[in-house]
């Protein structure tokens, strides 16, 4: 094949960049060589590609959620609520993207999945450390979930640190106090590595905000953004559970759990509990 003639336009605009000897290209910037060389099927089954890409794409979106949530937590801790709203809105849109992706996976039939399931060994989304970081950031802390990282010292240490960091809900409760609303000291001094437990003073604090919206508009907006994110996370979990049931029925999971029964129990772990209970009391 002959080389393209540089002097002929071929329908492109004249100034379009074509020489990347010294300039950074799209692929260089995005490291596409690495990303697009990371889909290694362990079977020769056609549908395994969908299975790999849906997981990898989900992990990329999770990375962005963690990035945005960390920024939001920092803003709220500094009592700078406005910028956190923008960030939390973005988190919510990313979650919608993740929820939507289940419709692609639902085209995988039980018999197609069975063609390569045996080759997956013990690997399971249960070991997704990014999912765990998101759950921690939303307040669902559980040290026992870290056992699966014991063989990776560096990651295990990183996860232990994350477990001890304030969740977005801890930050929001401190924001209530910063506005002069009472919350029991034991909540403020709580062991951050433990799952957040509902507390009456926190419920009363949120009730105050919701009953005096004009006075506490920013806290009210923050609360509604959190409810939105907690709600979407539950929808993601529900779609996962339901898709799993559609594909493997009630077989145990590759990660060793009871499968759908376990995933249904996960749905009982609510985020930001008082923001839900106040709805009955308002
Ligand atoms: C054929 C598709 C899928 C099946 C059959 C499946 C099955 C399961 C099962 C049974 C569990 C429970 C743990 C275990 O015993 O393995 C689990 C957990 C999990 N899966 Fe999936 N999954 C699928 C797709 C996905 C996808 C696309 C993602 C996206 C990243 C994902 C993320 C997760 C996460 C984060 C958990 C942990 C949930 C928790 O402990 O809260 N899964 N999956």
């Amino acid at each position: 094949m002959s080389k393209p003639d540089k002097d002929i336009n071929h329908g492109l605009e004249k100034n379009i960049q074509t020489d990347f000897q010294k300039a950074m290209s799209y692929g260089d910037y995005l490291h596409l060589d690495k990303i697009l060389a990371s889909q290694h099927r362990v079977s020769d089954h056609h549908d395994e590609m969908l299975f790999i890409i849906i997981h990898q794409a989900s992990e990329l979106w999770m990375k962005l959620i963690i990035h945005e949530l960390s920024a939001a937590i920092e803003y709220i801790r500094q009592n700078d609520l406005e910028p956190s709203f923008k960030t939390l809105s973005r988190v919510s849109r990313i979650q919608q993207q993740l929820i939507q992706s289940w419709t692609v996976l639902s085209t995988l039939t039980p018999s197609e999945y069975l063609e390569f399931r045996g080759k997956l060994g013990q690997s399971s989304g249960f070991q997704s450390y990014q999912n765990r970081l998101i759950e921690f950031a939303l307040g669902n802390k559980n040290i026992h979930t870290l056992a699966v990282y014991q063989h990776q010292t560096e990651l295990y240490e990183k996860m232990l640190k994350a477990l001890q960091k304030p969740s977005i809900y801890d930050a929001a409760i401190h924001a209530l106090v910063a506005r002069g609303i009472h919350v029991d000291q034991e909540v403020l001094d709580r062991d951050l590595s433990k799952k957040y437990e509902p507390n009456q003073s926190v419920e009363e604090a949120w009730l105050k905000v919701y009953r005096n919206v004009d006075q506490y508009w920013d806290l009210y907006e923050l609360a509604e953004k959190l409810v939105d994110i907690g709600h979407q996370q539950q929808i993601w979990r529900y779609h996962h559970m339901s898709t799993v049931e559609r594909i493997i029925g009630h077989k145990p999971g590759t990660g060793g759990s009871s499968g759908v029964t376990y995933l249904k129990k996960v749905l009982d772990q609510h985020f930001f509990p008082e923001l839900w209970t106040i709805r009955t009391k308002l």
Side-chain angles (χ1 to χ4, degrees):
M1 211 167 102
S2 58
K3 276 188 151 188
D5 184 341
K6 283 193 187 140
D7 299 329
I8 303 178
N9 184 309
H10 295 291
L12 299 179
E13 284 192 10
K14 198 165 150 257
N15 291 330
I16 205 120
Q17 180 72 32
T18 53
D19 181 1
F20 292 98
Q21 291 299 331
K22 294 199 180 108
M24 179 168 66
S25 73
Y26 174 78
D28 297 335
Y29 175 61
L30 297 172
H31 295 272
L32 290 183
D33 48 352
K34 283 197 193 124
I35 290 186
L36 299 178
S38 302
Q39 291 69 42
H40 306 288
R41 287 186 286 170
V42 291
S43 73
D44 51 13
H45 198 268
H46 171 89
D47 299 302
E48 193 191 341
M49 189 59 99
L50 159 67
F51 188 76
I52 293 175
I53 289 185
I54 199 137
H55 280 89
Q56 290 184 338
S58 300
E59 289 288 341
L60 279 178
W61 283 122
M62 286 187 211
K63 184 165 184 168
L64 187 55
I65 291 185
I66 295 163
H67 183 66
E68 302 295 345
L69 273 182
S70 318
I73 293 174
E74 233 9 78
Y75 283 132
I76 300 166
R77 271 157 64 89
Q78 287 160 21
N79 230 349
D80 194 7
L81 300 189
E82 289 285 332
S84 79
F85 299 155
K86 170 84 175 44
T87 314
L88 293 176
S89 298
R90 184 174 293 162
V91 170
S92 171
R93 299 282 176 96
I94 303 165
Q95 289 175 305
Q96 286 168 26
Q97 193 79 27
L98 282 167
I99 292 164
Q100 188 58 27
S101 69
W102 291 115
T103 63
V104 185
L105 190 63
S106 65
T107 64
L108 184 72
T109 65
S111 28
E112 284 164 353
Y113 181 53
L114 277 176
E115 296 271 352
F116 59 89
R117 188 183 195 228
K119 298 258 168 91
L120 300 177
Q122 275 77 54
S123 71
S124 159
F126 185 85
Q127 297 133 24
S128 162
Y129 76 86
Q130 293 205 110
N131 175 69
R132 219 43 83 191
L133 287 176
I134 293 171
E135 293 268 337
F136 287 177
L138 299 180
N140 185 16
K141 307 271 184 86
N142 181 349
I143 194 164
H144 303 292
T145 58
L146 302 192
V148 293
Y149 312 118
Q150 272 167 347
H151 67 295
Q152 291 163 285
T153 318
E154 212 174 301
L155 176 60
Y156 187 77
E157 293 299 320
K158 176 184 155 136
M159 298 304 288
L160 263 186
K161 267 195 198 139
L163 190 75
Q164 279 140 21
K165 281 192 187 157
S167 73
I168 197 156
Y169 199 47
D170 292 308
I173 291 170
H174 277 85
L176 290 168
V177 175
R179 290 289 292 280
I181 304 176
H182 172 79
V183 169
D184 291 347
Q185 196 59 38
E186 64 182 72
V187 179
L188 306 177
D189 297 339
R190 76 180 201 91
D191 179 351
L192 295 175
S193 69
K194 299 261 162 65
K195 179 176 158 46
Y196 176 83
E197 292 299 337
N199 171 279
Q200 201 181 338
S201 70
V202 174
E203 186 181 79
E204 280 158 17
W206 287 121
L207 275 172
K208 192 169 189 176
V209 169
Y210 276 71
R211 286 181 178 140
N212 300 280
V213 167
D214 291 343
Q215 190 182 347
Y216 299 116
W217 184 267
D218 51 352
L219 290 169
Y220 170 64
E221 193 170 353
L222 174 63
E224 283 299 298
K225 296 260 183 235
L226 293 184
V227 168
D228 194 37
I229 285 171
H231 187 201
Q232 310 263 28
Q233 193 68 8
Q234 284 290 54
I235 296 174
W236 184 88
R237 284 167 164 183
Y238 178 80
H239 278 254
H240 176 233
M241 183 277 290
S242 176
T243 312
V244 170
E245 187 169 15
R246 185 170 166 167
I247 299 175
I248 63 164
H250 285 262
K251 291 192 187 92
T254 46
S257 82
S258 55
V260 167
T261 308
Y262 164 75
L263 295 172
K264 280 189 178 155
K265 266 190 269 163
V266 173
L267 276 163
D268 294 337
Q269 310 278 334
H270 277 280
F271 303 99
F272 325 130
E274 295 87 354
L275 291 178
W276 291 91
T277 54
I278 56 163
R279 284 162 152 74
T280 316
K281 302 201 170 159
L282 278 169

